[in-house]
Amino acid sequence: MGGEKQVTTMVLKVDLQCCKCYKKVKKILCKIPQIHDQVYDEKNGRVTIKVVCCSPEKIKEKIICKGGDTIKTVEIIVPEKPKGFFDK
């Protein structure tokens, strides 16, 4: 019944200049076990995360729900499928 786990990249837009917002985002992301890598880009106000689960939409909703106004947007990056030998 369970779906196949996949690695999904997400980009969160957050105000990382604000100390409280930075701490809140870090705390939220650390509490979600499906999130593996966190890369903070303070200059552009982005956090790039890798999510390992079968339903990235549920994780996105969870982050938005817990983050409230702190999280501006959560974008799921859809990986491009590599072209095979026979693809043109």
Side-chain angles (χ1 to χ4, degrees), residues 18-35:
C18 169
C19 185
K20 280 185 175 181
C21 295
Y22 187 96
K23 284 181 180 177
K24 184 174 182 177
V25 169
K26 196 160 182 70
K27 187 176 178 182
I28 291 166
L29 297 180
C30 287
K31 285 189 174 184
I32 301 174
Q34 291 90 343
I35 296 174

Side-chain angles (χ1 to χ4, degrees), residues 49-66:
I49 58 173
K50 282 208 176 16
V51 180
V52 179
C53 69
C54 50
S55 178
E57 284 294 327
K58 283 187 181 177
I59 301 299
K60 177 181 175 179
E61 294 300 318
K62 195 172 189 178
I63 292 169
I64 292 168
C65 181
K66 290 184 180 281

